[in-house]
Amino acid sequence: MLVDNEKLMKAKSKIAEQTPDLIAEIMNLEGYDARNHKALCPFHNEDTPSFVWNAKGGYYKCFGCSKTMDIVDAYVVKGKTFIEACEKVFELAEMPYAFGEKGVKTKSQYRYPKEEDSWERDKVNAYFKLRCISEDTLDYCDVRQDKNGNAVFNYYDLNDVLTTVKYKLTHTPDKSKHEMKSWCQKDADTTPLLFNMNRINPNKPLTICEGEPDCLAAIEAGYQNTVSVPFGCNNYTWIEQNWDFLEQFDSIILAMDNDEPGIKAQKEIIYRLGSWRTKVMNIPDVVEFNGKKVKCKDINELLYYKGKEAVLEAIINAKDTPVSSVVDFADVTDLDLADMDGVETGYKDLDKELMKVFFH
């Protein structure tokens, strides 16, 4: 279900005065100054408080890393889904709102997947630790482990219903056994949803990654408003499937891999979603690591080589996408109209106004 944004804004406005203190309590902000509504940023290390309340916008903003947080973000960061966070906001505002579709399976004849049992997550934890992704991030995204030690990615729809389950090997595939790197749950249907979409705040820019590990890396860096595509960069079925969801966003940041397939996908996605609202995250091809220059392909590798702040900075400083049919004014060459091809009409007064009828 999509939450009525106009009503959500009204609910947020009703609790505006108490919101900065609420967020400070929810996030347990360090060094909180209740009088001036500022604190140490919870997303990066700092000694001087730069996490400051913006009363007009209704959010905190860090003037060190540029991260923002409203009341919905605070609840989501602490484990609630977007619907659950909105429920809490409407409750605080004492505004009735129907969440009747929450938890409702809306697809008839659909074979919904089964939840994986809660196996010990030791192998998955170890695998992602090598990728600099913490257990807290795995918990946040409900990443699990199956009985064989494979990573389990749960895809939820906007009703918080488990709709697709994907698996990923946590070891190098054995070619002799024809092991696949990833697959979906047997005897269950799949829908091209976006991973982590049920925890997304539509009032903030959305970052779209190429795979689940990249999504986890962005969240690890502090940018929770991140999703990943379900079935590889060359499959675009997710765009149509999630169109109503995507239409909510004024700004979308693409963080595809910087290899040839990723760049190709990026161009196609920009064309489909609209260049006017899409930005591109710059993932450097080569970075410095331990005194050597190494190749860097995606967000997860950027996290590994350069750390959280580098990832967060790259997302926040994503660049506008160029429109191929539009020429920058600075690149336009001066042109004398007298040099352009055309013919005079023979009527002096008209020719005086028009100069001539120009060919094109």
Side-chain angles (χ1 to χ4, degrees):
M1 63 176 289
L2 297 178
V3 177
D4 188 314
N5 192 57
E6 189 174 320
K7 291 182 179 179
L8 178 59
M9 292 300 104
K10 185 177 179 180
K12 289 168 69 175
S13 68
K14 289 188 69 174
I15 60 172
E17 289 188 11
Q18 65 193 93
T19 298
D21 293 328
L22 278 171
I23 295 177
E25 181 181 351
I26 295 165
M27 294 297 298
N28 192 25
L29 294 178
E30 294 184 17
Y32 181 55
D33 180 346
R35 181 179 178 182
N36 297 304
H37 300 315
K38 64 180 180 179
L40 295 174
C41 178
F43 300 105
H44 72 102
N45 296 323
E46 61 178 10
D47 298 320
T48 304
S50 61
F51 201 58
V52 182
W53 178 248
N54 182 315
K56 185 177 180 180
Y59 56 78
Y60 276 97
K61 178 173 181 177
C62 176
F63 288 88
C65 67
S66 298
K67 186 81 167 59
T68 62
M69 171 176 280
D70 66 10
I71 185 69
V72 172
D73 295 325
Y75 281 123
V76 170
V77 166
K78 289 303 180 179
K80 292 186 181 296
T81 65
F82 178 69
I83 287 180
E84 291 171 341
C86 290
E87 276 187 305
K88 189 63 179 176
V89 171
F90 280 110
E91 178 187 320
L92 290 168
E94 297 182 343
M95 281 179 59
Y97 190 90
F99 287 90
E101 292 181 38
K102 178 186 173 185
V104 175
K105 296 179 179 179
T106 58
K107 292 175 174 287
S108 61
Q109 308 301 316
Y110 188 86
R111 297 178 301 168
Y112 283 90
K114 297 178 181 178
E115 283 194 32
E116 280 289 340
D117 293 330
S118 298
W119 300 91
E120 184 182 357
R121 207 177 55 190
D122 56 332
K123 292 184 179 179
V124 172
N125 289 344
Y127 174 80
F128 280 107
K129 184 178 181 180
L130 294 174
R131 292 168 169 250
C132 298
I133 294 169
S134 67
E135 292 182 32
D136 286 342
T137 295
L138 298 178
D139 290 339
Y140 175 84
C141 291
D142 193 22
V143 179
R144 305 184 189 184
Q145 177 174 304
D146 70 4
K147 62 181 180 181
N148 297 314
N150 303 305
V152 180
F153 298 111
N154 291 321
Y155 281 66
Y156 295 90
D157 65 16
L158 296 181
N159 292 348
D160 286 348
V161 173
L162 182 63
T163 308
T164 297
V165 174
K166 280 184 65 180
Y167 301 81
K168 178 180 176 59
L169 287 180
T170 54
H171 62 266
T172 303
D174 187 337
K175 293 182 180 180
S176 66
K177 296 180 181 179
H178 304 288
E179 286 186 315
M180 296 184 292
K181 290 183 178 180
S182 63
W183 64 97
C184 293
Q185 190 176 102
K186 186 180 179 181
D187 298 325
D189 289 332
T190 60
T191 300
L193 300 175
L194 293 163
F195 179 67
N196 194 49
M197 67 184 293
N198 67 322
R199 299 178 183 88
I200 297 300
N201 186 345
N203 291 304
K204 301 183 68 176
L206 173 71
T207 295
I208 301 178
C209 303
E210 191 169 315
E212 298 92 355
D214 290 331
C215 180
L216 296 174
I219 292 170
E220 181 73 27
Y223 202 89
Q224 281 76 19
N225 234 47
T226 303
V227 297
S228 63
V229 301
F231 303 131
C233 66
N234 294 321
N235 185 314
Y236 306 108
T237 55
W238 58 270
I239 296 178
E240 181 179 358
Q241 177 66 39
N242 303 288
W243 185 254
D244 290 342
F245 168 76
L246 294 166
E247 278 285 87
Q248 300 176 98
F249 298 92
D250 294 326
S251 179
I252 296 176
I253 300 165
L254 300 183
M256 312 305 284
D257 293 1
N258 60 14
D259 55 13
E260 187 175 342
I263 293 171
K264 180 181 177 182
Q266 177 179 283
K267 292 179 180 179
E268 182 66 24
I269 296 168
I270 290 171
Y271 171 74
R272 297 195 187 198
L273 296 185
S275 60
W276 59 272
R277 62 170 175 162
T278 51
K279 294 185 176 182
V280 175
M281 175 183 173
N282 177 33
I283 301 174
D285 294 323
V286 178
V287 297
E288 190 88 15
F289 182 69
N290 290 339
K292 297 180 181 179
K293 291 187 181 297
V294 294
K295 291 184 178 180
C296 182
K297 186 185 73 170
D298 54 37
I299 291 185
N300 197 185
E301 290 188 357
L302 182 61
L303 174 68
Y304 179 83
Y305 291 129
K306 305 303 290 183
K308 297 179 183 181
E309 291 188 17
V311 173
L312 191 57
E313 181 181 356
I315 293 174
I316 291 173
N317 294 323
K319 303 297 183 183
D320 290 330
T321 57
V323 182
S324 58
S325 60
V326 177
V327 179
D328 191 292
F329 185 76
D331 296 330
V332 177
T333 305
D334 290 335
L335 181 64
D336 190 338
L337 293 177
D339 295 332
M340 292 181 63
D341 292 333
V343 295
E344 296 181 347
T345 66
Y347 296 96
K348 291 184 178 181
D349 291 341
L350 186 59
D351 288 335
K352 185 177 180 181
E353 293 293 329
L354 298 179
M355 186 179 292
K356 63 178 79 171
V357 178
F358 297 102
F359 300 138
H360 64 83

